[in-house]
Amino acid sequence: MDFKLNNHFSQKLPADPNTENSRRQVTEGFYSFVTPKKTSKPQLLHVSEEMREELGLSQSDVQSDAFLNLMTGNSLLPETKPYAMLYGGHQFGNWAGQLGDGRAINLFETEGKTGHWVLQLKGAGETPYSRSADGLAVLRSSIREYLMSEAMYHLSVPTTRALSLALTGDPVLRDVMYDGNPAYEKGAVVCRVAESFLRFGNYQIFTARNDIKGLQQLVDYTIEAHFPHLGKPSKDVYLQFFYEVTRRTLDLMIHWQRVGFVHGVMNTDNMSILGLTIDYGPYGWLEGFDWGWTPNTTDRQHKRYRYGNQPNIGLWNLYQLANALYPLVDESEGFEEILDRYKSGYAVKSLEMMADKLGLQNAGEADLKLIADLEECLQLTETDMTIFFRKLGDFKKDASVNGFDLIADAFYNAEELTEAVKTQWNAWFSAYAKRIQNQNLTDEARSAAMNRVNPKYVLRNYMAQLAIDAADEGDYRLIDELYELLKKPYDEQPENEKWFAKRPEWARDKVGCSMLSCSS
Ligand code: AMP
Ligand code: MG
């Protein structure tokens, strides 16, 4: 195993001088050195081929004991000093103080074929930031994070990546639904990979503690390491940096809305400074199109992190980041202007995104009604978002295919398809046909363009759950099958048609399928 080590985060920024692995407030440094916990019977379950190649590892590398031991925290590369990062965050709208990597340990940084990467173990034992928890992760949530990280990458949604999924051999106690019924589950570790794991909360904690020198050191490092094109730090460059973060965050929100991904816990400690999807916990995929849906049971009451609210929360989180960066600029005007641009940018980009999903050329204000009418139709009765948009690609502009029949597979409740529902859909399809007749694009070309933005295969919650249930019984084949399927989410893959289907009825109210908790 030949990594091209380049530990710039830990070389450029000072560590917590206390090297004891005890739970505490860390008031000096940006991270704490910590050694992963040894595991009793590590077993590798899966390795991402794409990530393996990117990191310059061979097949035999990843089959070696050395790799297994490295990926499960049982051994370290020589001359590397793993560490957990210090950060704070707003959780569900409230400032929570110090959080930090309570169960994530960065192993080292390395140069891959196309970029710079940090390798991080999630679930490798406690750190100074573990608070009252154990620093471990269970197989169930690790499978979800592993599969989804790589699937998001193949969907072209910015994301942290995953290199490996392994069992630790150690049992972990969890109360899945927080109802006083804890049980032992299999422990697991995912090796996550990203250019950086810095979050909004990494900056917030310094401002909250009024450590402006620390804040500046971290921001200067971030610009130099990850936004070098912005040049030498200055007040103006700090604002440009903030603008870049808002731009990337907005892009990410638009991507999530496009594919129907609901993160579930958009706390500021789960917001990547690079605009990546980070921390896959109780996330979920929209099945029936519903602005109000949240997969997270902890969020059931207020639905702060519901599908339709994600772009707003992205903005709310950016306000918190602006507050954190404010002391470096000392003027609010620049920040306000940038935050306003997020709002106007959202209007433009969400229109573009919806136009792409509908195959509309030269979309403009005039199309807003068509889009709003569609969103209304989609909510008349439970209508599967993924199936609807994918099937819509087969609509013909001469309306020779009946639109309502074309999308029949997307409806969950046949008995709710009343005459009134049909009439509303038919009206929408007439308007849609008229709109696409007015553009110079063949049906084939429109369909091909739509199929590049409307995925056919996503990791529906029940699919992940099937893989989890099988893995619990020691059968890991479905993990690999789904991993392969999700490499080409926009391709037809006729051999995999069975995964292009609505959520089965048994999964409607099942834990893990429609209800997910933060317990992981
Ligand atoms: P999350 O909302 O899952 O992103 O986690 C919020 C905070 O709780 C972060 O600081 C995590 O590191 C920490 N945390 C979550 N689960 C555990 C665990 N099992 N052990 C230690 N810390 C945890
Ligand atoms: Mg987190």
Side-chain angles (χ1 to χ4, degrees):
M1 264 187 306
D2 209 7
F3 288 102
K4 296 191 189 72
L5 296 185
N6 177 8
N7 291 302
H8 58 57
F9 181 81
S10 54
Q11 275 158 9
K12 297 240 161 119
L13 294 169
D16 167 13
N18 182 349
T19 53
E20 204 181 288
N21 191 357
S22 59
R23 295 146 197 243
R24 56 199 150 80
Q25 290 294 308
V26 173
T27 52
E28 273 183 85
F30 295 83
Y31 55 91
S32 306
F33 288 120
V34 56
T35 308
K37 186 178 182 224
K38 293 231 180 328
T39 54
S40 62
K41 203 162 166 273
Q43 183 190 349
L44 204 56
L45 298 186
H46 211 274
V47 175
S48 158
E49 275 295 296
E50 291 72 30
M51 212 54 238
R52 176 188 68 69
E53 281 195 10
E54 167 63 27
L55 294 171
L57 299 173
S58 67
Q59 289 284 5
S60 61
D61 281 338
V62 300
Q63 282 158 14
S64 66
D65 280 347
F67 183 78
L68 171 66
N69 286 326
L70 184 65
M71 292 298 103
T72 50
N74 285 330
S75 66
L76 299 176
L77 285 190
E79 294 172 48
T80 58
K81 284 179 81 177
Y83 58 89
M85 292 162 89
L86 162 68
Y87 54 81
H90 278 87
Q91 297 184 311
F92 295 91
N94 305 304
W95 176 244
Q98 175 182 302
L99 296 168
D101 286 331
R103 57 163 165 181
I105 299 178
N106 290 5
L107 292 178
F108 52 80
E109 295 174 74
T110 181
E111 300 304 330
K113 288 195 173 138
T114 67
H116 177 88
W117 301 102
V118 187
L119 270 67
Q120 177 186 82
L121 300 185
K122 181 163 175 180
E126 66 179 271
T127 77
Y129 311 98
S130 297
R131 298 179 293 156
S132 59
D134 56 12
L136 303 174
V138 294
L139 179 59
R140 142 178 78 76
S141 57
S142 303
I143 290 174
R144 285 169 49 84
E145 173 137 28
Y146 176 80
L147 283 177
M148 204 57 249
S149 307
E150 292 303 278
M152 281 297 238
Y153 166 72
H154 294 295
L155 280 164
S156 304
V157 179
T159 180
T160 61
R161 304 283 306 276
L163 172 61
S164 65
L165 168 69
L167 284 170
T168 61
D170 300 313
V172 174
L173 193 63
R174 286 288 181 271
D175 186 357
V176 183
M177 293 321 290
Y178 300 122
D179 58 1
N181 289 307
Y184 281 101
E185 300 185 43
K186 291 181 185 176
V189 178
V190 171
C191 178
R192 303 201 292 191
V193 185
E195 181 187 326
S196 166
F197 287 96
L198 282 165
R199 304 137 191 273
F200 291 7
N202 288 79
Y203 307 85
Q204 288 183 283
I205 188 82
F206 286 93
T207 309
R209 290 174 171 173
N210 203 21
D211 179 356
I212 308 309
K213 190 171 152 275
L215 170 72
Q216 181 163 12
Q217 224 179 331
L218 184 60
V219 174
D220 288 357
Y221 163 79
T222 310
I223 292 172
E224 186 191 327
H226 304 292
F227 300 81
H229 54 282
L230 297 180
K232 230 166 82 60
S234 66
K235 282 193 180 190
D236 193 44
V237 166
Y238 293 139
L239 281 173
Q240 285 177 40
F241 163 63
F242 180 63
Y243 173 62
E244 284 240 2
V245 180
T246 62
R247 210 176 40 77
R248 290 186 192 206
T249 305
L250 175 56
D251 280 346
L252 184 65
M253 295 304 109
I254 298 285
H255 274 297
W256 287 358
Q257 301 306 89
R258 169 176 66 85
V259 296
F261 174 80
V262 188
H263 183 284
V265 205
M266 290 178 67
N267 293 334
T268 58
D269 55 303
N270 291 339
M271 295 293 293
S272 152
I273 202 73
L274 301 181
L276 310 172
T277 313
I278 189 172
D279 278 9
Y280 292 94
Y283 68 81
W285 287 83
L286 277 193
E287 281 159 336
F289 182 90
D290 178 359
W291 295 121
W293 188 71
T294 174
N296 184 356
T297 47
T298 317
D299 195 27
R300 272 284 149 94
Q301 199 185 351
H302 301 294
K303 298 186 192 261
R304 179 179 172 84
Y305 298 140
R306 64 191 183 273
Y307 173 62
N309 208 30
Q310 296 190 122
N312 278 330
I313 292 290
L315 180 62
W316 191 90
N317 288 338
L318 286 163
Y319 270 95
Q320 310 316 313
L321 181 64
N323 286 335
L325 299 178
Y326 175 83
L328 302 183
V329 181
D330 252 346
E331 256 172 23
S332 54
E333 236 185 7
F335 287 109
E336 278 160 15
E337 201 182 297
I338 291 167
L339 290 161
D340 280 345
R341 265 201 267 173
Y342 178 102
K343 292 179 217 165
S344 48
Y346 173 73
V348 174
K349 293 201 164 196
S350 68
L351 170 61
E352 267 171 25
M353 178 269 284
M354 283 306 288
D356 288 348
K357 286 181 79 66
L358 292 172
L360 309 182
Q361 285 184 313
N362 305 318
E365 301 254 318
D367 294 308
L368 289 174
K369 181 164 161 39
L370 185 71
I371 293 169
D373 288 350
L374 170 63
E375 289 163 352
E376 211 182 292
C377 282
L378 285 170
Q379 292 175 92
L380 290 174
T381 170
E382 192 177 10
T383 308
D384 194 273
M385 176 179 179
T386 305
I387 296 179
F388 168 77
F389 279 105
R390 192 69 186 193
K391 291 271 184 185
L392 188 64
D394 293 333
F395 190 67
K396 306 283 178 245
K397 57 176 157 185
D398 63 4
S400 57
V401 181
N402 177 284
F404 189 75
D405 293 344
L406 179 69
I407 62 161
D409 282 349
F411 297 120
Y412 278 88
N413 305 304
E415 70 282 7
E416 287 180 16
L417 301 176
T418 57
E419 280 311 310
V421 168
K422 277 186 208 165
T423 307
Q424 200 165 333
W425 269 112
N426 286 335
W428 186 80
F429 274 108
S430 307
Y432 181 59
K434 226 184 245 160
R435 173 63 177 82
I436 57 179
Q437 280 156 18
N438 282 335
Q439 62 186 24
N440 201 5
L441 195 64
T442 62
D443 284 328
E444 292 70 33
R446 190 188 70 258
S447 170
M450 289 168 73
N451 288 350
R452 283 194 291 273
V453 293
N454 295 327
K456 177 159 180 177
Y457 301 103
V458 296
L459 185 61
R460 291 170 185 268
N461 312 312
Y462 86 88
M463 292 161 63
Q465 191 58 39
L466 288 175
I468 290 165
D469 290 342
D472 266 333
E473 302 293 317
D475 181 349
Y476 309 112
R477 286 172 302 180
L478 198 47
I479 296 175
D480 187 59
E481 184 180 335
L482 294 178
Y483 167 85
E484 291 294 333
L485 170 79
L486 297 166
K487 270 188 191 177
K488 296 193 171 90
Y490 300 104
D491 286 9
E492 280 301 318
Q493 303 194 52
E495 70 283 12
N496 282 318
E497 199 72 20
K498 70 170 180 214
W499 296 119
F500 181 58
K502 285 187 293 253
R503 172 199 65 232
E505 269 316 299
W506 60 259
R508 180 180 286 275
D509 297 312
K510 186 171 157 26
V511 172
C513 297
S514 61
M515 289 192 290
L516 291 139
S517 79
C518 290
S519 166
S520 56

